[in-house]
Amino acid sequence: MNPLIKRLAHEAVAPLEEMLARLIRTAALIAMATGCAIAASVFLTVDLFLYLQGLWGSLAAASCVAALYLVGAIIFLVLALRRPSPAPSATAPSATVASATPVVAAASVGAQAAPPSPPNAAFAANIDAAVAPVLGVLREAGLEKEVIAIEAGAEVVKQLNPFSLVAFAVGAGVFLGRTLGTKRTLF
């Protein structure tokens, strides 16, 4: 059973290693781009100051460069603090209809619950891709009950949103860690 677990662990870790490598590569490229942008900003600032100093003098040049950065900071601050406008949704017209006829709206709310949102196809495809190697190994080993259990678990996970999935994984990890971490005595 130990080689089976090692093989499962290796096949489960491979996609995570690939994702981590992409994340590190992306972070390094963003850091390099940020460093280049800062260096370019410094050189452009010095160049602008020297150009304006030759035209208007040191005090006016420093004031103009500072004003330029102040205007840029204000623009970025306004963009950062601006709230996005709410997107029009299908619930807005139903709210006006519900306020016009409260009895019908109350009866329809009590009669049926909101339909569940359709599962995200990309999320489901990621789950299928992650589970496929594990299912292949279990089928090769002839463990059909385990295959059925993992397929059922994958179907349940497809119906969860990512936050509840992470919460469930953390809870299962704590439970499994406590179970595996305790030493059992035979007396």
Side-chain angles (χ1 to χ4, degrees), residues 61-147:
S63 298
C64 287
V65 171
L68 179 70
Y69 276 105
L70 182 64
V71 168
I74 290 172
I75 290 172
F76 287 129
L77 185 63
V78 167
L79 289 175
L81 295 178
R82 186 181 70 169
R83 293 186 180 190
S85 61
S89 64
T91 59
S94 65
T96 59
V97 172
S99 64
T101 56
V103 175
V104 174
S108 65
V109 169
Q112 65 183 16
S117 62
N120 188 354
F123 184 63
N126 284 341
I127 292 172
D128 289 337
V131 170
V134 176
L135 291 176
V137 170
L138 291 175
R139 283 192 177 110
E140 286 177 12
L143 302 170
E144 289 302 316
K145 290 180 183 178
E146 287 79 2
V147 169

